[in-house]
Amino acid sequence: MPKVFQGIVFLTALQYRLGPVWGRRFGSPFTINLPIFGKTVVVSDPILVKDVYSTSSDLIERPTKILGQAFGPGSTFSLTGDEHLERRKLVLPNFHGKRVKNYERLIEEEVIRETANWPEGREFQTLPTMGRLTLNAILRAVFGEEKHALDELRSVMPAMIILGSLLQRLPPIFARDFGRWSPGGRLSRYRHRLDTVVDTLIADARADPALEERSDVLALLLQARYDDGQPIPDRHIADELLTLVAAGHETTASQLAWTVERLRRHPQLLARLTDEVDAGGSELRQATIFEVQRTRSTIGASLRTANQQIRLGDWVLPAGTNMMIDFQLAHESEDNFPDPDSFNPDRFLGTSPPAFRWIPFGGGVNRCVGAGFAALEMDVALRTLLREFRFAPTDAPGEARHYRGVAVVPARGGRAVVYRRTAPASGDRNAMSVVARGN
Ligand code: HEM
């Protein structure tokens, strides 16, 4: 079958959730010939997923040119081998453990600020709000308390991400700078505007006598040292900061809009979650977030390339073979999750999601650096939304998946109808007798 045709069939299959059918039909792995990326082995079986993620990066590597070009040579997305691992050691602690808890207050403030004007009783899209609040939260976490300079980042970043991710799907010639009106030219100009702001923020931070007391990522990276005592060069810090902001908002925003989309179609769950928030609990909320990520992953796959001939399960793959770890196939496999098509957070109650079967943050040496931050953000946002609003259920069919450059988002923007809660609204909830479809 010609490449382009296979590519179209593959993307259509993902769009219409034919993944499990394909998985049953072809097993795991199977090979497909994709436009631009070429011959690709699609993997979803947990043993093979573990194999790919745990194999040393000397043998299997993430193709760096795709995102590296947009973020620059100093970004985690561009680095490979030891250089990449050393950088992760400096970046990762900023988004984990106790450090990440420090961001709780600022996330809650952003949720309250961005939802202050939500209309009552009228349908609207939640995705734009989620986009603004996650962008503001990551900007404040990365650059510290609000500064005028961040306005420029706020206005340029979303446009640059959409353009950059569109270009990464086209042959590289389209990303070349052919002047002001070419797409590549526009991308360079966006990047130049961002660099000007970030360079100023770095210079200001260096001159700040209170730098050592600051807890924003910029201040921490400026003070970080590699094992050999060397600092991260300023140019690399700029690339890394932009990477964190770019990677760290569209994904989380989409996941939050999907959460609203799912919950409005499961009113009994919504009622249980609200009761749990009122009682100060969090277990069901956590399980719900895991289930939203399983059934509506915003990133579809990890891409890898074999640097040398490798063995994968029973197969020998020649050097240069591309591999795609397909999250949706893994998440919708009966072998991984019984009754995979039902949206059922109870499956995760009181337990952690199984490794190499639940993989919305990827795995191995390229596992999402911001997973801890994203998890906290989704938890605090959902807690605050449930505390502040009553979401009217709907019996409308589930929103389709729409691929928007970086993330897979709800096609109608995660529509909601809300009412502000003045007091715990259990009486009101009982009055809402809409029967949701079990999709
Ligand atoms: C729900 C939200 C998020 C999802 C679903 C998500 C998903 C992912 C996935 C699947 C990967 C691995 C890609 C691969 O295997 O090649 C990844 C990598 C990455 N993510 Fe996230 N992400 C999220 C939020 C964030 C946040 C908040 C940040 C920043 C604070 C972030 C920063 C990064 C970075 C820097 C990498 C590259 C890691 C490396 O290559 O070492 N992400 N993310």
Side-chain angles (χ1 to χ4, degrees):
M1 213 192 283
K3 255 190 210 190
V4 172
F5 191 61
Q6 286 194 42
I8 293 170
V9 172
F10 186 67
L11 293 175
T12 312
L14 287 184
Q15 179 87 9
Y16 291 100
R17 308 180 64 234
L18 299 180
V21 180
W22 281 48
R24 278 193 289 275
R25 167 86 176 73
F26 300 118
S28 167
F30 60 87
T31 304
I32 187 158
N33 209 356
L34 292 173
I36 302 177
F37 206 55
K39 223 176 205 178
T40 304
V41 176
V42 180
V43 177
S44 58
D45 172 276
I47 294 175
L48 301 185
V49 169
K50 183 176 180 192
D51 246 16
V52 176
Y53 278 145
S54 339
T55 301
S56 146
S57 56
D58 297 342
L59 300 178
I60 295 183
E61 229 173 43
R62 182 179 52 204
T64 52
K65 67 173 187 298
I66 298 184
L67 290 164
Q69 192 172 352
F71 297 136
S75 153
T76 311
F77 279 105
S78 306
L79 302 177
T80 55
D82 288 347
E83 221 187 338
H84 168 254
L85 292 179
E86 283 164 19
R87 174 63 59 76
R88 270 180 74 94
K89 258 186 10 204
L90 298 188
V91 176
L92 206 55
N94 299 307
F95 297 104
H96 269 265
K98 273 203 203 123
R99 192 75 66 73
V100 88
K101 275 304 253 183
N102 293 340
Y103 303 125
E104 185 165 352
R105 184 186 51 82
L106 77 85
I107 294 168
E108 188 167 311
E109 279 171 15
E110 291 302 330
V111 179
I112 289 172
R113 181 164 46 176
E114 288 299 332
T115 56
N117 295 323
W118 268 9
E120 285 192 79
R122 172 166 71 73
E123 198 177 68
F124 66 99
Q125 299 187 335
T126 56
L127 186 59
T129 302
M130 304 306 187
R132 281 192 303 275
L133 80 86
T134 54
L135 179 58
N136 287 338
I138 189 74
L139 281 172
R140 285 176 67 187
V142 167
F143 292 107
E145 279 319 307
E146 202 138 350
K147 296 180 184 72
H148 187 58
L150 297 190
D151 287 344
E152 174 79 342
L153 295 181
R154 247 179 234 118
S155 79
V156 179
M157 200 54 129
M160 180 176 135
I161 290 170
I162 288 178
L163 181 61
S165 47
L166 281 176
L167 289 178
Q168 91 188 0
R169 245 156 294 287
L170 297 173
I173 184 92
F174 285 91
R176 291 254 291 274
D177 185 348
F178 291 115
R180 195 178 168 73
W181 302 110
S182 66
R186 266 177 49 217
L187 193 65
S188 307
R189 254 162 289 283
Y190 284 146
R191 180 64 216 238
H192 181 70
R193 281 171 66 186
L194 292 179
D195 280 342
T196 309
V197 181
V198 174
D199 288 351
T200 312
L201 290 170
I202 291 178
D204 289 353
R206 278 213 185 289
D208 185 351
L211 181 69
E212 280 177 28
E213 283 113 66
R214 281 172 50 170
S215 59
D216 52 276
V217 178
L218 162 58
L220 296 167
L221 288 188
L222 282 177
Q223 297 170 83
R225 293 293 176 267
Y226 289 115
D227 288 345
D228 64 4
Q230 290 302 309
I232 310 174
D234 276 8
R235 206 54 269 135
H236 279 208
I237 290 187
D239 288 351
E240 197 63 89
L241 297 174
L242 290 177
T243 300
L244 293 170
V245 174
H249 77 280
E250 175 101 348
T251 41
T252 321
S254 163
Q255 212 68 84
L256 284 169
W258 276 121
T259 306
V260 170
E261 190 272 353
R262 290 290 78 199
L263 291 186
R264 290 190 67 218
R265 286 159 178 83
H266 295 84
Q268 285 167 355
L269 172 66
L270 195 50
R272 284 170 65 202
L273 283 165
T274 308
D275 289 343
E276 186 189 64
V277 164
D278 292 346
S282 64
E283 215 184 344
L284 180 62
R285 186 166 72 247
Q286 183 55 75
T288 301
I289 293 167
F290 290 153
E291 182 70 340
V292 173
Q293 290 197 272
R294 182 187 74 81
T295 54
R296 295 294 185 278
S297 290
T298 58
I299 301 286
S302 291
L303 301 178
R304 300 287 183 269
T305 305
N307 290 334
Q308 309 174 18
Q309 175 173 297
I310 55 160
R311 175 172 281 282
L312 184 66
D314 294 336
W315 295 267
V316 174
L317 309 182
T321 304
N322 296 313
M323 282 156 275
M324 175 188 283
I325 297 176
D326 189 312
F327 300 173
Q328 192 184 345
L329 279 184
H331 292 166
E332 297 188 358
S333 150
E334 290 247 354
D335 297 335
N336 287 344
F337 298 97
D339 193 11
D341 289 343
S342 74
F343 181 77
N344 173 21
D346 287 292
R347 71 173 85 235
F348 291 123
L349 261 189
T351 146
S352 302
F356 304 113
R357 295 171 196 264
W358 184 87
I359 43 176
F361 291 115
V365 294
N366 294 104
R367 186 175 191 271
C368 180
V369 159
F373 184 84
L376 177 81
E377 197 169 15
M378 292 187 280
D379 183 56
V380 173
L382 183 54
R383 182 183 74 199
T384 313
L385 291 176
L386 291 166
R387 197 185 64 210
E388 300 292 320
F389 295 98
R390 175 165 68 76
F391 285 82
T394 178
D395 61 358
E399 293 189 29
R401 294 172 163 84
H402 171 64
Y403 182 55
R404 202 175 69 170
V406 176
V408 176
V409 300
R412 302 187 64 235
R415 287 181 169 262
V417 176
V418 300
Y419 299 91
R420 219 159 249 290
R421 291 181 72 199
T422 43
S426 55
D428 289 347
R429 285 202 310 275
N430 292 339
M432 297 188 305
S433 57
V434 181
V435 179
R437 293 183 184 172
N439 54 357

